[in-house]
């Protein structure tokens, strides 16, 4: 009887779905930031929003397609010697399922375009800037106290330089709530400047003037990483 | 009837070993390709297990930094250049002439040359270990960094150039074979879908591989003859390498996956007992992927700040469209079918479920700001393995189980195959799913170790356990193959009740392939014979 077969399938699919939900509920504490570390800059917040948006669409596609696949595997397994109807395709269906991904692409692209424009906004004229030089295998940070307004000795040029070594990473302190521009320089190979809590990285390319801006919104100590074989 | 002059090997005259060394028979060359590439799969797999052993726990000292760089570089290089790209040439060699009803490839001697370039190139690449260290700059050999690394990198460059020559002349051979040597009645749109994917792959190889050769030649000049193509201090450009390299290497991703999609598209219709849903749409989607593949290379370079990000992000999203069309067509093939679950089908379904994840997690990198976060982290390592292992390797096994009776005349045992599949499927997900979470949390790829304070230890340990489970999964497979070889050849022409011409001839086929050919009226000539042309 086909109807009981269908019922059994539905029950099985239900079972699978509840198992999946249970699994998600058990591990979800690990997903507090939807898998991403705490965003500590305004820009990172925007990127995290985009990540969550993309993730939701991704999960929807994932469950829809894997669900259809599981359904087909269970429902259409061979039951007898009768040949299935030989359908060769359907232009209407092809048009429909070409349009679905096109719509998803437009949505994803539009939102990521907006976020891209926002996180790449140029720094205001008076923003604090930090010159970063990458070398193998650490960083040098140079910034001016005049920019910060904390230069107490008017005769000094107020340049502060912090040089790290391979063993001792340099520590850079930046103010909260105002834009800071990082200007990246390298004299040897390509490095990448990456702080996971910024959700951002930018390559430090010999011969290129790469810059980015962040506005920190949280205090704390965060580790970045030195990457010399970016790829 | 068309007839084509083909040098026929003079058999029975030569001793066994010379026969294999001097053969120009596409079937023997195909078998040599398969043995060689599966050997390098094993080597690359062992290197992967070394990588995973080193990363199993924090602050591990199992191998040092230098050794680690060589190991992961050689793992990736072996898997890509010595396994996955040539393994398709192996299947293609054996299967394409049979599927189109030809007696051999168009240029049998060039075919032999294509194959015989591979073993020496492989030895050359690995010989670095004897000469002070193998290549260690990653399979991407990013310059300027790679300008300074040891002699192993020169060997690597020469090896990859030779492998490129092999696949370029191989590509020309496949194209001519498919354009000129199809059986009477087999129009282009009646050609089996595996052939179509091999054809598009060949076009990509012909257009992209020479570009890689040019990049490699420049790097060699920079390193050995005082050039400065990639050195801004000498007037060169530090980003140039990446542009040229990825102009090849993104299309190369499709070189690595399209034939796998072709195999899946042969297997699904046979075991669902329905034609491939939307055959033509599938062909156009394959061409679409191939074409778009040339317009997205800079999605590997968003963080360089040197590329037009919105354009490359958009084009990368667009590749999701033809890929989505394929996914729906595969589902449409299963829909209302009459499905059985023999080994080739298990691996094909494994491909569908895992490649889907590789398609989905790739779109995150197309959302440019998200790529800023995940670029160069373990998220990307997860992505490439869902595509290349969950996709390509599952397809390799689908193809091996499917064509084993044709190539070797014996059938592999179904029970062992199911154990193999289950272990590989679980191990694969254990090994690679946690990498998404590690990458999001900021674990960079290509690091030899990480500190305990990072909090990455548990997930890494799970990943390592999964990797070893994949290794264990190979045991039932190897036992299966060895036991099959101990049995006599007993397979009929068409053990699966399949659709395409390779199943018309004996298993294995005679030297000249076919004594006769049936009429070809559709892309499923054998189905037509079994069920009559009306059963369409
Ligand atoms: C047992 C199975 C495998 C395991 C456990 C494994 C593991 C790994 C790991 C841990 C890495 C990252 C190394 C690092 O960044 O430090 C890696 C890199 C890589 N693997 Fe695998 N792998 C396996 C199979 C494969 C296969 C079958 C392919 C291709 C056909 C492949 C292609 C690559 C590539 C291209 C990279 C380089 C990624 C990069 O550019 O950084 N792997 N593998
Ligand atoms: Cu790419």
């Amino acid at each position: 009887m086909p109807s009981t077969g269908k019922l059994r399938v539905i029950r099985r699919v239900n079972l699978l779905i509840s198992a999946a939900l249970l699994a998600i509920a058990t591990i979800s504490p690990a997903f507090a930031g939807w898998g991403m570390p705490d965003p500590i800059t305004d820009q990172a917040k925007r990127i995290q929003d985009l990540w969550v948006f993309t993730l939701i669409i991704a999960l929807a596609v994932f469950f829809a397609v894997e669900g259809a696949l599981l359904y087909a595997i269970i429902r259409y397994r061979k039951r007898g010697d009768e040949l299935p109807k030989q359908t060769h395709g359907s232009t209407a269906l092809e048009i429909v399922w070409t349009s679905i991904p096109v719509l998803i692409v437009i949505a994803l692209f539009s939102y990521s375009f907006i976020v891209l424009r926002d996180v790449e906004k140029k720094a205001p004229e008076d923003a604090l800037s930090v010159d970063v030089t990458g070398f193998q295998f650490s960083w040098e940070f140079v910034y001016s106290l005049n920019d910060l307004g904390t230069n107490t000795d008017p005769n000094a040029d107020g340049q502060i330089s912090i040089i790290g070594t391979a063993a001792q990473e340099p520590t850079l302190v930046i103010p909260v709530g105002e834009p800071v521009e990082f200007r990246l320089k390298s004299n040897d190979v390509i490095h990448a400047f990456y702080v996971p809590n910024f959700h951002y990285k930018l390559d430090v390319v010999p011969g290129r003037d790469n810059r980015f801006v962040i506005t920190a919104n949280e205090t704390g100590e965060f580790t970045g990483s030195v990457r010399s074989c970016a790829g | 009837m068309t007839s084509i002059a083909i040098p026929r090997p003079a058999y029975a005259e030569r001793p066994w070993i010379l026969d294999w060394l001097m053969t120009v028979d596409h079937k023997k060359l195909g078998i040599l390709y398969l043995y060689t590439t599966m050997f390098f799969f094993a080597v690359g797999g062992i290197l992967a297990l070394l990588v995973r052993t080193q990363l199993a726990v924090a602050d591990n000292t199992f191998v040092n930094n230098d050794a680690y760089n060589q190991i992961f570089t050689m793992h990736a290089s072996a898997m890509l250049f010595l396994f996955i790209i040539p393994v398709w040439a192996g299947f293609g060699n054996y299967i394409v002439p049979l599927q189109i009803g030809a007696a051999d490839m168009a240029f049998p001697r060039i075919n032999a040359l294509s194959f015989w370039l591979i073993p020496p190139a492989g030895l050359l690449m690995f010989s670095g270990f004897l000469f002070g260290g193998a290549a260690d700059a990653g399979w991407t050999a990013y310059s300027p960094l790679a300008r300074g690394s040891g002699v192993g990198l020169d060997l690597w460059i020469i090896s990859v150039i030779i492998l490129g020559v092999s696949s370029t002349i191989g590509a020309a051979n496949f194209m001519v074979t498919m354009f000129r040597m199809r059986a009477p009645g087999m129009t282009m749109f009646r050609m089996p879908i595996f052939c179509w994917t091999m054809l598009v792959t060949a076009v990509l190889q012909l257009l992209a591989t020479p570009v890689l050769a040019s990049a490699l030649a420049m790097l060699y000049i920079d390193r050995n003859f005082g050039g400065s193509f990639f050195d801004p201090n000498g007037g060169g450009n530090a980003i140039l390498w990446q542009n040229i390299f990825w102009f090849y290497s993104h299309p190369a991703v499709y070189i690595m996956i399209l034939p796998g999609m072709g195999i899946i598209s042969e297997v699904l219709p046979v075991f669902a007992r329905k034609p491939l849903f939307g055959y033509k749409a599938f062909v156009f989607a394959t061409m679409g992927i191939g074409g778009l593949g040339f317009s997205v290379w800079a999605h590997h370079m968003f963080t360089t700040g040197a590329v037009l990000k919105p354009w490359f992000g958009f084009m990368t999203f667009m590749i999701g469209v033809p890929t989505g069309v394929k996914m729906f067509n595969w589902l449409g093939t299963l829909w209302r079918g009459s499905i059985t679950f023999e080994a080739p089908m298990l691996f094909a379904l494994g491909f569908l479920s895992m490649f889907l994840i590789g398609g989905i997690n790739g779109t995150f990198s197309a959302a440019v700001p998200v790529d800023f976060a995940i670029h160069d982290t373990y998220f990307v390592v997860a992505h490439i393995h869902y595509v290349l292992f969950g996709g390509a390797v599952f397809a390799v096994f689908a193809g091996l189980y499917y064509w084993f009776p044709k190539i070797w005349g014996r059938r592999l045992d179904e029970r062992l195959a199911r154990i193999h599949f289950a272990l590989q499927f679980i191990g694969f997900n254990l090994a690679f799913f946690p990498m998404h979470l590690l990458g999001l949390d900021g674990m960079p790829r290509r690091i030899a170790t990480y500190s305990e304070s990072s909090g990455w230890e548990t997930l890494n340990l799970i990943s390592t356990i999964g990797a070893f489970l994949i290794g264990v999964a190979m045991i039932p497979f190897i036992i299966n193959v060895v036991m099959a070889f101990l049995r006599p050849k007993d397979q009929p022409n068409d053990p699966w009740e399949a659709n395409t011409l390779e199943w018309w001839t004996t298993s294995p086929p005679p030297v000249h392939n076919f004594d006769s050919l049936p009429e070809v009226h559709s892309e499923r000539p054998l189905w037509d014979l079994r069920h009559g042309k009306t059963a369409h």
Side-chain angles (χ1 to χ4, degrees):
Chain A
M1 267 195 317
S3 61
T4 45
K6 210 173 230 164
L7 260 184
R8 206 172 47 206
V9 170
I10 292 170
R11 233 179 289 133
R12 261 193 235 179
V13 171
N14 273 338
L15 198 73
L16 278 169
I17 291 175
S18 29
L21 287 179
L22 191 72
I24 291 171
T26 355
I27 52 170
S28 59
F31 287 92
W34 294 79
M36 274 191 167
D38 228 12
I40 57 165
T41 66
D42 294 350
Q43 289 79 0
K45 278 237 161 61
R46 302 275 292 142
I47 293 178
Q48 175 143 330
D49 291 344
L50 175 63
W51 151 256
V52 172
F53 176 77
T54 315
L55 183 62
I56 289 170
I57 292 186
L59 287 176
V61 172
F62 172 79
F63 284 112
V65 178
E66 301 281 7
L69 181 61
L70 260 181
Y71 178 83
I73 288 173
I74 297 168
R75 173 71 181 76
Y76 300 119
R77 65 188 189 286
K78 185 174 179 182
R79 298 246 175 63
D81 283 334
E82 207 183 318
L83 275 182
K85 189 157 170 279
Q86 301 295 300
T87 39
H88 287 262
S90 144
T91 312
L93 270 178
E94 297 290 348
I95 291 171
V96 170
W97 63 43
T98 309
S99 317
I100 297 173
V102 167
L103 293 178
I104 295 178
V105 162
I106 291 172
L108 284 173
F109 174 74
S110 310
Y111 189 23
S112 37
F113 185 75
I114 294 167
V115 174
L116 179 65
R117 201 195 48 198
D118 291 352
V119 301
E120 294 206 320
K121 275 227 171 72
K122 293 230 160 36
E125 284 294 322
D126 57 346
L128 172 68
S129 64
V130 181
D131 285 311
V132 182
T133 306
F135 52 89
Q136 285 171 314
F137 295 90
S138 194
W139 301 98
E140 176 184 14
F141 298 115
V142 177
Y143 59 96
S144 159
L145 287 181
N146 293 324
D147 284 3
L148 265 182
T150 53
N151 193 357
T152 45
D153 176 1
N155 295 324
D157 68 353
Q159 293 287 332
I160 299 273
S161 159
I162 306 164
I163 303 185
T165 64
Q168 177 65 51
E169 287 171 7
T171 306
L172 174 73
V173 183
I174 54 168
V176 170
E178 58 176 282
V180 179
E181 186 183 49
F182 288 79
R183 302 172 180 163
L184 310 180
K185 270 208 302 282
S186 165
N187 298 321
D188 45 28
V189 299
I190 301 174
H191 309 266
F193 187 82
Y194 175 37
V195 180
N197 297 82
F198 290 1
H199 296 175
Y200 190 79
K201 68 178 69 68
L202 185 61
D203 292 355
V204 191
V205 183
R208 270 193 76 82
D209 175 23
N210 268 352
R211 303 168 177 212
F212 70 96
V213 182
I214 55 146
T215 312
N217 56 24
E218 215 176 283
T219 49
E221 211 176 275
F222 304 96
T223 321
S225 76
V226 190
R227 308 279 301 126
S228 296
C229 80
Chain B
M1 284 283 312
T2 45
S3 76
I4 296 137
I6 290 160
R8 292 266 164 82
Y11 38 122
E13 309 290 345
R14 292 194 292 242
W16 171 86
I17 182 81
L18 277 187
D19 194 35
W20 280 96
L21 287 175
M22 297 169 65
T23 184
V24 293
D25 176 355
H26 74 100
K27 296 183 291 301
K28 287 205 163 114
L29 288 167
I31 290 173
L32 288 173
Y33 260 108
L34 290 176
Y35 282 142
T36 310
T37 50
M38 289 311 279
F39 168 78
F40 283 114
F41 178 51
V43 174
I46 289 166
L47 292 170
L49 293 184
L50 294 181
V51 167
R52 283 313 325 168
T53 307
Q54 167 65 15
L55 295 176
V57 291
D59 302 311
N60 200 359
T61 52
F62 172 68
V63 294
N64 65 23
N65 205 37
D66 284 345
Y68 185 84
N69 288 344
Q70 295 173 31
I71 292 171
F72 87 74
T73 298
M74 293 305 286
H75 159 66
S77 305
M79 286 297 194
L80 301 183
F81 298 124
L82 292 166
F83 164 55
I84 204 74
I85 295 178
V87 81
W88 301 135
F91 280 113
N93 245 298
Y94 201 102
I95 299 302
V96 165
L98 289 172
Q99 280 196 331
I100 62 172
D104 204 315
M105 295 280 283
F107 307 110
R109 289 199 176 84
I110 289 181
N111 200 21
L113 178 63
S114 301
F115 168 72
W116 284 108
L117 288 173
I118 292 175
L123 290 181
L124 200 62
M125 191 187 282
F126 275 89
S127 67
F129 282 114
L130 304 177
F131 301 118
D136 59 357
W139 75 279
T140 48
Y142 265 25
S143 299
L145 181 72
R147 296 173 85 249
S149 99
V151 66
L153 199 70
D154 286 324
L155 296 167
W156 182 90
I157 292 172
I158 298 168
S159 163
V160 176
I161 290 181
I162 296 174
L163 293 168
V165 172
S166 159
S167 71
T168 311
I169 59 180
N173 206 350
F174 277 118
M175 287 168 69
V176 176
T177 305
M178 280 180 265
F179 284 138
R180 307 296 304 165
M181 296 172 66
R182 298 187 311 279
M186 185 179 286
T187 58
M188 285 306 273
F189 279 115
R190 288 177 190 167
M191 205 164 66
I193 211 79
F194 173 68
C195 292
W196 263 111
T197 57
M198 283 301 295
L199 181 59
V200 175
T201 301
V203 174
L204 294 181
Q205 282 175 320
L206 212 56
L207 295 177
T209 315
V211 179
L212 176 67
S214 78
L216 293 168
M218 283 187 258
L219 182 56
Y220 196 86
I221 292 169
D222 262 20
R223 288 169 51 84
N224 295 293
F225 308 124
S228 57
F229 287 106
F230 307 119
D231 177 16
N233 297 324
N237 183 328
I239 298 292
L240 180 64
W241 168 267
Q242 295 182 39
N243 271 314
I244 311 179
F245 180 83
W246 288 115
F247 188 82
Y248 159 78
S249 276
H250 190 85
V253 174
Y254 302 116
I255 293 172
M256 298 173 204
I257 193 71
L258 288 179
M261 293 175 164
I263 292 179
I264 300 310
S265 312
E266 296 288 331
V267 169
L268 292 179
V270 171
F271 296 94
R273 289 159 188 85
K274 277 180 61 200
L276 181 68
F277 196 91
Y279 168 97
K280 275 195 185 167
F282 198 94
V283 170
F284 290 129
T286 305
M287 294 177 184
I289 291 180
L292 283 172
F294 280 102
S295 63
V296 300
W297 77 92
H299 62 204
H300 300 272
M301 301 167 59
F302 288 142
T303 66
T304 59
V307 298
L308 188 57
K309 283 168 273 204
W311 162 262
F312 286 104
F314 182 72
M315 294 313 282
T316 305
F317 278 132
M318 284 305 287
I319 289 203
V321 176
T323 314
V325 167
K326 290 194 168 191
M327 204 70 211
F328 286 125
N329 278 320
W330 286 323
L331 284 174
T333 306
L334 295 175
W335 217 253
R336 301 192 201 290
S338 173
I339 304 173
T340 52
F341 299 95
E342 289 86 345
M345 188 62 164
L346 285 183
F347 283 89
L349 295 170
F351 172 103
L352 290 191
S353 59
M354 294 298 105
F355 177 73
L356 174 72
I357 299 180
I360 291 176
N361 63 15
T363 55
F364 290 99
S365 289
V368 181
V370 174
D371 186 66
F372 291 152
I374 60 178
H375 175 73
D376 219 357
T377 70
Y378 260 85
F379 195 94
V380 177
V381 181
H383 164 62
I384 59 165
H385 288 88
Y386 270 90
V387 173
L388 289 177
F389 198 119
V393 174
F394 274 79
V396 166
F397 282 112
L400 282 177
Y401 281 104
Y402 180 56
W403 282 309
F404 200 92
K406 179 56 60 185
I407 300 177
W408 285 285
R410 294 104 165 164
R411 176 108 172 244
L412 290 169
D413 179 66
E414 285 292 331
R415 225 168 8 158
L416 282 169
R418 279 197 289 272
I419 298 173
H420 168 197
F421 174 76
L423 289 175
Q424 182 172 313
F425 190 82
I426 297 167
F428 168 74
N429 281 291
L430 276 183
F432 296 109
F433 195 81
M435 291 184 186
H436 291 108
L437 306 176
L438 287 168
L440 283 171
D441 203 42
M443 179 170 169
R445 79 208 234 226
R446 302 179 174 183
I447 51 170
T449 190
Y450 49 92
S451 74
E452 215 190 319
S453 61
S454 62
W456 295 331
E457 205 166 30
T458 315
L459 289 172
N460 269 299
L461 188 60
I462 294 174
S463 170
T464 300
I465 292 170
F468 277 89
L469 203 56
I470 296 175
V472 172
M474 296 305 137
I475 296 173
F477 173 69
I478 293 168
I479 294 177
N480 207 346
V481 171
V482 171
M483 292 203 345
F485 282 150
L486 295 178
R487 291 194 295 267
K489 295 179 186 164
D490 64 350
Q491 286 299 294
N493 291 5
D494 185 10
W496 308 114
E497 300 207 338
N499 299 326
T500 39
L501 286 184
E502 77 271 31
W503 304 103
W504 172 255
T505 184
T506 54
S507 307
V511 183
H512 52 280
N513 289 352
F514 297 97
D515 292 323
S516 69
L517 279 175
E519 287 181 39
V520 179
H521 296 283
S522 76
E523 83 274 15
R524 295 191 300 166
L526 266 60
W527 174 283
D528 297 343
L529 283 174
R530 256 195 323 275
H531 303 288
K533 276 167 235 163
T534 45
H536 252 274

